[in-house]
Amino acid sequence: MSAPNKSYDPVEVEALKPEEIERMRDEALAAFAAAASLDALQEAKTAHAGGTSPLSLANREIGALPPHAKADAGKRVGQARGAVNKALAVRQAELEAERDQRVLVEEAVDVTLPHDRVPPGARHPLTTLSERIEDIFVAMGYEVAEGPQVEAEWFNFDALNIGPDHPARGEADTFFVQGPDGGADSGVVLRTHTSPVQIRSLLERALPVYVICPGRVYRTDELDATHTPVFHQVELLAVDEGLTMSDLKGTLDHMVQSLFGAGMKTRLRPNFFPFTEPSAEMDMLCYVCKGASVGNPDRPCRTCSSEGWIELGGCGMVNPRVLTACGVDPEQYSGFAFGFGIERMLMFRHNVEDMRDMVEGDVRFTRPFGMEI
Amino acid sequence: MRVPLSWLREYVDLPATQTGRDVQARLISAGLEVETVEHLGADLKGPLVVGQVLTIEELEGFKKPIRFCTVDVGGANGTGEPQEIVCGARNFSAGDKVVVVLPGATLPGGFAIAARKTYGRTSHGMICSSDELGMGDDGTKGIIVLPPETEVGRDAVELLELVDEVLDIAVTANRGDCLSLRGVARETAIAYGLPLRDPALLDVPGPNAYGYPVRVSDPAGCDRFTARTVTGLSPEARSPIWLRRRLQKVGMRPVSLAVDVTNYVMMELGQPLHAYDRGLVRGTIGVRRAEEGEKLVTLDGVERALHREDLVITDERGPIGLAGVMGGADTEIADHEDVANASTEVVIEAAHFDQVSIARTARRHRLSSEASRRFERGVDPAAAAAAAQRTVDLLVLLAGGTADAGVTEVVAPSAPHTVSTPADHPDKVAGVVYGRETVVRRLQEIGCDVYGQDELLVTVPSWRPDLAEPNDLAEEVIRLEGYENLPSTLPKPPSGRGLTHRQRLHRRVGRALAGAGYVEAPTYPFVGEQVLDQLGLAADDPARRTVRLVNPLNDEEPSLRTSLLPGLLGALRRNDGRGSHDLALFETGLVFLPREERGAAGHLPVDRRPTDEEIAALDAVLPEQPRHAAVVLAGAREQAGWWGEGRPAGWADAVEAARVVAREAGAELTVRGGQYGPWHPGRCAELVVTADGAERVVGHAGELHPRVLKALGLPARSCAMELDLDALEAAGDGTPQAPGISTFPVATQDVALVVDKPVPATEVEAALREGAGELLEAIRLFDVYVNDEHLGDGKKSLAYALRFRAADRTLTVDEASAARDAAVALAGERTGAVLRG
């Protein structure tokens, strides 16, 4: 332990005078208050609160004081330093808040800028509409059946009760496929409807059969605003014990309600198809005017030409001859079937005015339809 | 079939208030597709009167001859003075009766008539042609000249029956009976619950031995032949206005009285008839099959080589008509213009021919006539005699002829057709209880005779050969009871299994590609040799073996696609031409690949299920039809914008599209350098999968060959990918297995390896992967550097980030480094890679 310093002279320790300490404190506070930026505050901090600042130096002098004066001076210096540090922290916080606010403002962007770096893709509405219809029936327990597009005439015609001399066979506008020798009589065609898939389903599947058959079909029509040689159908086939024409009607009603909303219904009109007997043409209530435009010239309907009904396609009870050709006993089983064109439905459901728009692959047509329909 | 309402009313007493639209609605709900109702003379307004030409002054000095006429119109013009009319037609003389439209009238098409100055005179009205009155072609190409006995001043609107409604009915293939007024009238009568005045109910004299000799050698092809003779026909006799008008309204052109009458009776009764000029027929009329080498010039002037199955009408010389299809030119009735040669004696044929035989002959000779259309669809055999009688009656009445007493009728014996059906069968088909009484009543309404209680024995009427089975009868009952009255019920299918794997994959691929910015473009599958050449396919490329069509729409594109690219690149070009230049398109669809062994499809029976062998034989003839997926790209894949530069579509985008598809299929895709057809030889990837232990090339991707792009007119640097989706599906490894997820820290090590430029990055990566062992969690190539000065000629540097992690501990730096060194060592061994110093 060193001996106490006796050779002190309080008057000589100028820095520890109360006025002097107050002055140092006030200068520090003034410097902090005057610091306009974090950098300036850092300089002021070094000058007034750093290790070589006057208050720090004054603090070191305390040891030179006589014991009775030490406590007093220590208290004074400690209080001054506390006030200085507190002011520094407050100013530091103030300046940081100011900076944060300014920077975030400076960093603001125009959030309305587009970002079409990779333009969106899309699926074709013929694909998605077909899937939409498939899904309605898959939900009911039907399965989706597919088959070849280049098809044997037996599947496309004969088994469907369209024999070689049936007038309907001549009216089918069929593309015929050349035989191996280039001959015309190969017995192979581009399928004119998806009905051959019904035949394949009956031959391949165990009874009862409930299938939906979507797909591409072909007829020798030139492309124009309302015709295309390549188009798409969806057909349905149900073969079970005790199926009736009322079941057909109910199934059609369910479909149009699923696609076009509650309150929709279908209408059957007698018609003739070789593969169904009885046969019918099916119409659906116009989903736009719901029939209100009929006989009402003030409210014409473009969608149904004010007919109130929109023609959908053909349907009927499976002709017993078709069942026989597929090895199904018509005494025990009955069935119903219907089919319609996807292009037509796309036209009236989505206001497509020209068939060509659907087949040309123009991205401007397809993009708005997105992923689902 | 066009049906004038005025004519229809002759057989059914429809209430006067019923319009064409009303009748249309009733017939539609009964099952006749009435497509339109045409209002003839809807906007026609008189005065339109009969006039007599008094004087004709030929006006000179105009480009075409013009006549200034005075016409007596009686009191129709209010003054009784002759009407002054300028006329450009020349087919009339002073004294002729004509149709005059007076000022104030409106002709069809809203053509208002007023007195007007023309050719220097004032014309007070017009002398009318049939065209101007909306009557259709009458063959005169001039104004209408009326019979001399027509009364002057009479209203011509009524005389010419200009105001009428015509129903146009699309008759289905089973309803030949409705190709006649008689058939449509029957349906109308049933629909309205009114009696029918059947025009076929005529008194017909029985056959005798004095009729024109006829020999039918083929009773199966011709089960009925009636011949009648009318003599003493006046050569001057013309079809009366009412008959001509009815023919015009049903869409036929009046020709000559005898022909007009046979056409009229065909329209009325549905029985096709033929009138032979008796003076031109030599000896017995025969019916037989044609003989090899026989020829016939038909009425349309075409010489036709006959087939042995063609049914022909003959006389001593040989064929004089194609039975049921078209008559021959040699025995044709002379045109009425040709008075000197006009037929004064005719033989009328009313026969019934086999449906199938007529259909085949019509198809064989590509000759569809009003007659063949009816025979193909079914004609009432029992109406033949009545039709012949009706024709005779009309010729006697209108041409001053005499009916010959001879009546020839050759009839093959046949029993009436009967169908046996349970009385409740219609109920079971419809799902509605109609009851026996209703069923019997409805069947009787359509002309059936019905016997029996629970099991009905139904004799179907001769005019409905289409009613052959219980379901046919059920349809008759249900349609007459009203399809609109069927209830709506739902069947209960067994639970389904949802979409198949192939179907789900197809959808997923579409979604994934669309999600990656591709727009779907389904294209036509028709291709020609030219596009295969343009694609640069080698002469022996299998894709050149195509399925060909007999009757393509376009002779330049007679084949079906073996690749999706021709169609998809066409869509790319079309879009580019329309101003969309940054393009990414995709298509999924079938391609058609002929089998090595190609036979013709056999004809299988339809009265039983074909055997599995028979079905397999049929399928073996069909081409393979796998589903492909393809993309094409042009322009920018990423667009330039405020964010910076864009990026052109490149070969790597096409390869990446293949990876997208493979990922959806769960198939491990190997990409390696390849060369094929349309692709740039240095920028073509071969896409390979392994299925059932065998490697298989499933497609290609990359930049297209500049020569192909030039030939197809496509933008530079366009890219494409195509692969066999079905093959990819087969290589899919099914259910994905979850990896173990370690939560210990990762140790990352980067290596840069220098290799020869031709070394594929995939090989280096595979070696690194194998050499690093199981501690390697992931590897990623993050840079490729080429600099001959720094690396040496022909070298490239590949920089990989390796991530190591253990399942059970924190790896030490030494462990990670050891694994890295092992990886680099194996890469060095396999590919000559050295660490970049």
Side-chain angles (χ1 to χ4, degrees):
Chain A
M1 187 175 185
S2 61
N5 183 0
K6 311 271 184 201
S7 62
Y8 65 91
D9 177 3
V11 181
E12 292 302 307
V13 186
E14 196 67 18
L16 291 175
K17 285 181 182 164
E19 321 84 77
E20 196 58 18
I21 288 170
E22 273 173 38
R23 187 186 57 78
M24 286 187 273
R25 182 196 67 195
D26 292 348
E27 276 178 7
L29 296 184
F32 293 160
S37 69
L38 284 166
D39 287 345
L41 185 64
Q42 187 60 38
E43 275 177 35
K45 179 185 172 186
T46 308
H48 298 282
T52 57
S53 63
L55 269 174
S56 293
L57 295 176
N59 195 41
R60 285 185 209 160
E61 299 293 335
I62 293 174
L65 291 182
H68 70 273
K70 267 186 188 169
D72 245 14
K75 191 179 166 194
R76 274 199 298 277
V77 172
Q79 280 175 346
R81 291 181 76 186
V84 166
N85 283 336
K86 191 178 164 198
L88 175 64
V90 168
R91 187 61 184 152
Q92 178 85 24
E94 275 173 17
L95 288 174
E96 278 179 5
E98 254 179 62
R99 178 206 59 188
D100 285 355
Q101 201 168 355
R102 188 181 67 246
V103 166
L104 292 183
V105 167
E106 280 169 2
E107 279 181 1
V109 295
D110 176 0
V111 296
T112 69
L113 287 175
H115 200 258
D116 51 350
R117 195 165 186 155
V118 178
R123 302 171 75 212
H124 200 275
L126 287 173
T127 308
T128 49
L129 182 56
S130 176
E131 287 178 6
R132 175 90 193 261
I133 295 162
E134 291 162 33
D135 289 346
I136 292 169
F137 290 101
V138 168
M140 294 172 79
Y142 287 72
E143 293 185 354
V144 177
E146 295 167 292
Q149 295 175 9
V150 176
E151 184 58 288
E153 288 193 39
W154 188 84
F155 286 105
N156 193 73
F157 291 126
D158 301 64
L160 289 156
N161 192 35
I162 311 172
D165 300 303
H166 198 290
R169 189 140 163 174
E171 290 164 6
D173 307 323
T174 312
F175 282 111
F176 294 94
V177 168
Q178 284 188 7
D181 50 353
D185 195 20
S186 66
V188 177
V189 297
L190 298 193
R191 66 180 183 194
T192 58
H193 43 193
T194 45
S195 310
V197 183
Q198 301 189 10
I199 300 301
R200 288 180 176 276
S201 299
L202 280 176
L203 290 171
E204 288 162 12
R205 290 165 186 256
L207 291 164
V209 166
Y210 287 83
V211 289
I212 180 110
C213 319
R216 266 190 166 191
V217 300
Y218 302 85
R219 294 197 196 161
T220 55
D221 290 318
E222 294 281 352
L223 175 65
D224 63 25
T226 53
H227 297 86
T228 161
V230 182
F231 58 104
H232 298 76
Q233 283 188 333
V234 170
E235 287 196 24
L236 174 144
L237 171 74
V239 174
D240 202 342
E241 291 182 49
L243 291 183
T244 69
M245 219 164 155
S246 302
D247 292 332
L248 164 62
K249 175 86 162 72
T251 305
L252 289 170
D253 284 345
H254 177 79
M255 179 184 74
V256 296
Q257 283 159 14
S258 302
L259 280 172
F260 295 94
M264 286 295 297
K265 57 182 179 179
T266 56
R267 174 177 80 171
L268 300 184
R269 287 180 288 119
N271 204 317
F272 170 76
F273 306 108
F275 33 91
T276 48
E277 186 71 39
S279 302
E281 195 77 24
M282 57 192 186
D283 302 334
M284 55 173 260
L285 188 66
C286 175
Y287 70 101
V288 176
C289 74
K290 302 268 177 10
S293 66
V294 181
N296 192 351
D298 301 337
R299 286 184 53 195
C301 179
R302 223 164 49 109
T303 304
C304 65
S305 309
S306 299
E307 297 280 340
W309 295 89
I310 299 171
E311 204 175 308
L312 258 194
C315 62
M317 302 304 291
V318 179
N319 193 313
R321 293 182 190 205
V322 174
L323 296 179
T324 302
C326 297
V328 177
D329 180 5
E331 297 286 322
Q332 189 186 351
Y333 288 93
S334 60
F336 60 80
F338 65 74
F340 57 88
I342 300 291
E343 275 79 0
R344 226 189 97 65
M345 182 175 279
L346 193 67
M347 286 180 103
F348 69 70
R349 192 170 185 259
H350 299 272
N351 295 318
V352 182
E353 295 194 340
D354 195 315
M355 189 71 87
R356 284 169 287 217
D357 293 342
M358 288 187 256
V359 307
E360 287 177 338
D362 194 314
V363 295
R364 294 169 300 165
F365 172 78
T366 305
R367 274 217 177 94
F369 289 98
M371 288 283 194
E372 301 278 338
I373 202 167
Chain B
M1 175 76 197
R2 288 169 57 84
V3 178
L5 196 57
S6 61
W7 195 352
L8 189 62
R9 286 179 183 276
E10 203 168 285
Y11 313 114
V12 189
D13 288 327
L14 291 172
T17 52
Q18 287 291 299
T19 64
R21 290 281 284 191
D22 298 330
V23 178
Q24 176 188 34
R26 292 281 189 118
L27 289 181
I28 284 177
S29 96
L32 287 185
E33 200 176 342
V34 185
E35 292 188 319
T36 57
V37 179
E38 193 184 336
H39 291 253
L40 301 181
D43 47 1
L44 176 69
K45 189 164 113 336
L48 187 72
V49 298
V50 177
Q52 182 166 31
V53 180
L54 300 175
T55 62
I56 298 175
E57 179 190 343
E58 302 285 350
L59 301 184
E60 307 288 335
F62 298 104
K63 276 184 188 157
K64 56 175 188 172
I66 297 294
R67 292 170 152 191
F68 179 71
C69 312
T70 56
V71 186
D72 175 14
V73 294
N77 55 4
T79 64
E81 295 296 314
Q83 197 78 4
E84 296 180 344
I85 296 173
V86 176
C87 182
R90 307 198 56 77
N91 63 325
F92 62 98
S93 332
D96 278 350
K97 301 283 175 63
V98 294
V99 181
V100 179
V101 61
L102 298 175
T106 307
L107 291 183
F111 182 26
I113 303 297
R116 65 185 189 105
K117 292 272 285 184
T118 178
Y119 298 103
R121 305 291 176 96
T122 300
S123 187
H124 297 272
M126 225 168 79
I127 303 175
C128 299
S129 70
S130 59
D131 235 16
E132 287 156 348
L133 297 178
M135 291 164 56
D137 183 12
D138 67 351
T140 60
K141 295 188 172 36
I143 59 128
I144 302 168
V145 178
L146 297 167
E149 63 275 13
T150 320
E151 181 194 340
V152 168
R154 186 177 165 190
D155 177 21
V157 175
E158 183 206 322
L159 176 74
L160 298 176
E161 297 174 25
L162 293 178
V163 179
D164 202 348
E165 291 185 277
V166 180
L167 312 179
D168 196 351
I169 303 174
V171 177
T172 53
N174 61 328
R175 291 303 299 271
D177 64 310
C178 285
L179 289 173
S180 69
L181 262 296
R182 180 191 185 214
V184 175
R186 184 180 293 108
E187 286 295 330
T188 310
I190 296 170
Y192 278 89
L194 293 168
L196 169 75
R197 269 192 297 281
D198 186 348
L201 286 181
L202 296 177
D203 282 336
V204 181
N208 54 45
Y210 329 119
Y212 197 95
V214 171
R215 196 174 72 240
V216 176
S217 319
D218 191 327
C222 172
D223 59 6
R224 194 175 288 251
F225 197 112
T226 298
R228 299 289 297 273
T229 305
V230 182
T231 59
L233 300 175
S234 158
E236 283 85 25
R238 301 289 154 78
S239 303
I241 290 172
W242 64 265
L243 193 152
R244 298 164 64 92
R245 288 298 294 138
R246 284 190 169 176
L247 287 181
Q248 284 174 333
K249 286 177 190 176
V250 299
M252 298 193 90
R253 195 163 69 83
V255 181
S256 66
L257 180 58
V259 172
D260 290 352
V261 165
T262 55
N263 282 336
Y264 180 85
V265 176
M266 173 172 70
M267 286 297 167
E268 184 177 54
L269 300 178
Q271 168 70 52
L273 296 136
H274 194 74
Y276 300 89
D277 186 331
R278 181 169 166 170
L280 300 176
V281 181
R282 303 265 185 278
T284 300
I285 289 179
V287 184
R288 62 165 168 82
R289 300 285 166 175
E291 285 159 16
E292 208 62 60
E294 281 186 323
K295 293 194 164 108
L296 172 70
V297 179
T298 40
L299 279 177
D300 53 5
V302 178
E303 186 185 72
R304 298 174 188 277
L306 301 178
H307 186 272
R308 328 184 248 101
E309 284 181 22
D310 288 335
L311 206 54
V312 289
I313 310 295
T314 60
D315 69 2
E316 287 177 350
R317 295 163 297 185
I320 58 169
L322 210 44
V325 180
M326 193 174 275
D330 285 349
T331 52
E332 187 181 1
I333 297 282
D335 196 280
H336 70 80
E337 304 287 328
D338 191 5
V339 176
N341 292 314
S343 316
T344 57
E345 296 186 0
V346 297
V347 179
I348 313 293
E349 163 203 314
H352 188 256
F353 301 108
D354 176 55
Q355 279 179 250
V356 169
S357 172
I358 300 300
R360 286 185 183 168
T361 294
R363 200 162 63 233
R364 199 176 291 130
H365 295 285
R366 296 180 197 282
L367 183 58
S368 178
S369 63
E370 292 283 350
S372 70
R373 255 165 36 86
R374 285 173 173 75
F375 281 122
E376 277 178 53
R377 287 162 176 76
V379 166
D380 180 1
Q389 183 64 44
R390 179 81 166 124
T391 310
V392 168
D393 290 347
L394 285 172
L395 287 176
V396 168
L397 178 74
L398 303 175
T402 307
D404 197 287
V407 176
T408 305
E409 251 190 61
V410 181
V411 180
S414 67
H417 194 75
T418 58
V419 181
S420 175
T421 178
D424 65 353
H425 186 66
D427 298 16
K428 284 186 174 157
V429 172
V432 174
V433 178
Y434 296 121
R436 179 188 176 280
E437 198 180 315
T438 303
V439 168
V440 170
R441 176 169 52 83
R442 290 302 191 182
L443 291 177
Q444 285 169 340
E445 272 178 9
I446 59 164
C448 295
D449 288 328
V450 186
Y451 302 97
Q453 280 301 316
D454 293 345
E455 187 72 18
L456 302 179
L457 190 64
V458 182
T459 305
V460 304
S462 57
W463 57 84
R464 291 296 304 272
D466 61 306
L467 300 180
E469 285 170 27
N471 270 39
D472 300 329
L473 300 178
E475 179 178 62
E476 296 299 307
V477 173
I478 301 167
R479 78 175 171 96
L480 294 175
E481 284 295 304
Y483 276 15
E484 66 275 17
N485 296 321
L486 287 169
S488 196
T489 57
L490 276 177
K492 293 188 177 55
S495 307
R497 287 161 295 188
L499 299 178
T500 63
H501 184 260
R502 180 172 187 257
Q503 289 160 353
R504 278 184 288 119
L505 172 60
H506 186 203
R507 289 188 180 193
R508 263 199 327 270
V509 165
R511 289 204 191 98
L513 288 174
Y518 290 87
V519 177
E520 186 174 17
T523 65
Y524 285 0
F526 307 119
V527 297
E529 199 80 0
Q530 192 192 7
V531 76
L532 302 178
D533 293 341
Q534 287 167 329
L535 284 175
L537 299 185
D540 59 349
D541 192 308
R544 281 188 178 275
R545 288 192 64 234
T546 58
V547 173
R548 292 175 71 95
L549 298 176
V550 174
N551 54 336
L553 277 185
N554 175 357
D555 288 336
E556 303 294 305
E557 296 182 333
S559 294
L560 297 182
R561 65 188 177 191
T562 51
S563 153
L564 301 182
L565 291 186
L568 209 46
L569 290 172
L572 188 74
R573 184 175 51 228
R574 192 174 301 121
N575 274 290
D576 187 60
R578 291 177 179 182
S580 305
H581 305 301
D582 301 328
L583 293 161
L585 306 178
F586 83 97
E587 179 173 12
T588 56
L590 304 192
V591 300
F592 307 93
L593 312 173
R595 294 182 199 267
E596 291 298 331
E597 297 285 322
R598 297 164 68 190
H603 292 286
L604 298 190
V606 292
D607 55 354
R608 61 166 170 84
R609 184 192 198 279
T611 64
D612 290 346
E613 291 72 35
E614 286 172 326
I615 296 170
L618 220 48
D619 282 343
V621 172
L622 302 180
E624 287 186 63
Q625 301 172 50
R627 184 176 280 144
H628 278 200
V631 308
V632 294
L633 298 123
R637 179 75 169 119
E638 289 174 20
Q639 310 208 76
W642 57 266
W643 53 80
E645 291 291 296
R647 184 175 68 76
W651 60 271
D653 293 300
V655 177
E656 182 55 22
R659 291 201 176 94
V660 166
V661 175
R663 217 158 28 233
E664 294 303 324
E668 193 172 322
L669 187 73
T670 303
V671 174
R672 62 189 184 206
Q675 290 193 3
Y676 176 64
W679 278 275
H680 184 311
R683 298 182 170 188
C684 172
E686 194 168 75
L687 309 171
V688 182
V689 296
T690 304
D692 302 327
E695 246 190 19
R696 181 171 168 193
V697 176
V698 292
H700 295 86
E703 186 176 311
L704 291 171
H705 198 296
R707 216 170 39 228
V708 171
L709 297 178
K710 183 158 179 254
L712 289 170
L714 295 170
R717 302 286 180 199
S718 294
C719 298
M721 179 283 287
E722 176 166 22
L723 52 72
D724 181 335
L725 200 51
D726 287 336
L728 205 61
E729 186 201 351
D733 58 2
T735 322
Q737 301 298 314
I741 299 296
S742 166
T743 53
F744 288 94
V746 68
T748 309
Q749 301 252 358
D750 291 352
V751 295
L753 297 175
V754 177
V755 293
D756 290 340
K757 275 182 184 166
V759 173
T762 48
E763 286 181 20
V764 178
E765 183 179 317
L768 286 172
R769 213 179 259 285
E770 190 182 330
E774 62 180 12
L775 291 179
L776 183 73
E777 182 180 77
I779 179 168
R780 181 167 185 273
L781 175 70
F782 67 87
D783 193 27
V784 179
Y785 176 68
V786 179
N787 186 320
D788 290 348
E789 211 176 302
H790 292 159
L791 300 175
D793 281 352
K795 300 285 186 185
K796 63 182 175 187
S797 164
L798 305 173
Y800 289 91
L802 308 176
R803 288 164 64 86
F804 295 99
R805 195 172 346 225
D808 54 352
R809 65 188 188 280
T810 300
L811 287 182
T812 64
V813 174
D814 287 348
E815 282 179 300
S817 297
R820 180 202 63 192
D821 292 345
V824 171
L826 192 63
E829 194 182 306
R830 293 260 177 89
T831 68
V834 290
L835 267 179
R836 192 171 157 205

